[in-house]
Amino acid sequence: MRIRRRAKEEADLDITSFMNLMIILVPVLLMSMVFSHITVLDLKLPDLAPNSTNDNPEPNDALEVVIYTDKLVINYPAGVSVKSIVNIDGAHDFKMLSTYLQEIKRRLALTGKEKRDIFILSQADTDYQTIVSTMDTVRSYDAVVVASVVEAELFPEISLGDAPVPGTNNVNAQATPEVAP
């Protein structure tokens, strides 16, 4: 007696459902990568105690942006108001702030000073978005170079602090502004 063996057919793999899953999953994962981008800002916080070891104090050369609820004030040198930018339609005018800081940067460059630091002083009740928008404004601005828009550097070294009470002056009154556009 002969034993006949049947020829077995190989089973086909059905990967249609797996391919459908990959077609949906890959674009979703690629799109979610854009949303997970995190930007880190380097900040300098003010010292807890003033440096009293220095016998010859350096001239007051600090540039400040003070955030109040109704205006932004630019001080240069620190404590001496150079420009007050009032709110427009209940919001801070960051475009005017950027324009004025660009002018200060240009005038400092003409005198041979390379200034990269700025102090942002805010009141205790200043909301977070206002502080971040101010930081973005003072750090850089959009400039046109060879028919393309690039980010030009303004004052990338940002320090944070508390704003003085309006109407008071924390620095001696003898200082005069070096930049008065």
Side-chain angles (χ1 to χ4, degrees):
M1 240 177 93
R2 266 187 181 181
I3 299 176
R4 281 191 181 173
R5 293 190 179 203
R6 291 185 188 171
K8 288 187 176 180
E9 294 182 21
E10 291 189 26
D12 292 332
L13 292 176
D14 186 17
I15 59 170
T16 307
S17 59
F18 180 72
M19 291 300 290
N20 288 339
L21 177 68
M22 288 298 120
I23 289 173
I24 301 298
L25 192 61
V26 168
V28 168
L29 290 175
L30 289 175
M31 286 186 344
S32 68
M33 287 176 54
V34 174
F35 297 118
S36 66
H37 178 65
I38 297 174
T39 302
V40 177
L41 296 176
D42 293 328
L43 297 177
K44 295 178 185 171
L45 298 177
D47 294 333
L48 293 176
N51 190 0
S52 61
T53 61
N54 201 358
D55 292 333
N56 287 333
E58 293 181 16
N60 189 1
D61 194 26
L63 177 62
E64 298 175 339
V65 174
V66 185
I67 304 171
Y68 294 112
T69 55
D70 59 339
K71 63 184 174 182
L72 296 169
V73 178
I74 300 173
N75 296 335
Y76 185 75
V80 179
S81 179
V82 176
K83 179 73 174 173
S84 180
I85 303 168
V86 295
N87 290 359
I88 295 178
D89 297 330
H92 293 295
D93 189 2
F94 294 113
K95 187 173 183 179
M96 177 63 81
L97 175 66
S98 177
T99 303
Y100 200 77
L101 289 175
Q102 290 172 37
E103 179 65 20
I104 289 175
K105 182 83 169 185
R106 185 184 67 78
R107 289 193 179 208
L108 286 172
L110 289 175
T111 62
K113 290 185 179 179
E114 177 62 31
K115 187 148 191 64
R116 296 176 44 89
D117 62 320
I118 190 166
F119 289 91
I120 296 177
L121 308 176
S122 62
Q123 296 176 321
D125 61 345
T126 305
D127 63 309
Y128 179 74
Q129 185 58 46
T130 302
I131 295 172
V132 171
S133 297
T134 306
M135 289 168 50
D136 290 340
T137 302
V138 303
R139 188 179 47 230
S140 63
Y141 66 97
D142 291 335
V144 178
V145 176
V146 191
S148 63
V149 177
V150 297
E151 277 197 13
E153 178 182 274
L154 268 175
F155 303 100
E157 297 176 7
I158 300 170
S159 299
L160 297 176
D162 291 328
V165 178
T168 62
N169 197 352
N170 290 352
V171 183
N172 54 1
Q174 298 119 344
T176 58
E178 293 180 26
V179 177

